[in-house]
Amino acid sequence: MKVYIAGPMTGIPGHNFPAFFAAEEILRAQGHEVLNPARNGVCDGWTWADYMRRDLPMLAQADEVHVLPGWHNSRGARLEVHIAHALGMPVREVEP
């Protein structure tokens, strides 16, 4: 199953990448193919909208979305969850 990781990045030290990579390890160990937007890195001069334009097509390839703690506080993650629901994708919390 392909799963997309959604969670907060903006304003978090290191863009919260350690949490994204930890979740990726957990999900891979559970047998999932993981779509991790943190793997795309940071691009100088990019805006929030630039990142969303890059990451949303990846989300559309997923079967499920798995959210990180604090996703409710992230404008991008809330949008990703909204789109997942609109597309009929299950949304689950990342569980160890």
Side-chain angles (χ1 to χ4, degrees):
M1 177 171 310
K2 283 186 187 176
V3 299
Y4 179 88
I5 302 170
M9 289 184 177
T10 303
I12 296 178
H15 304 284
N16 205 24
F17 284 1
F20 277 82
F21 293 126
E24 180 178 14
E25 285 184 35
I26 290 166
L27 293 166
R28 281 196 198 285
Q30 294 172 354
H32 299 295
E33 179 180 341
V34 181
L35 304 172
N36 180 356
R39 290 242 166 245
N40 294 327
V42 177
C43 300
D44 288 337
W46 275 34
T47 65
W48 176 86
D50 293 325
Y51 289 106
M52 295 310 298
R53 284 186 183 103
R54 179 189 67 190
D55 295 343
L56 290 175
M58 187 184 336
L59 166 72
Q61 296 173 23
D63 300 304
E64 292 184 352
V65 173
H66 288 239
V67 293
L68 297 174
W71 74 269
H72 289 97
N73 301 319
S74 166
R75 177 172 62 148
R78 286 193 316 265
L79 175 60
E80 290 166 336
V81 167
H82 175 79
I83 291 169
H85 285 151
L87 296 176
M89 293 178 192
V91 176
R92 307 180 193 291
E93 292 187 16
V94 174
E95 296 181 17

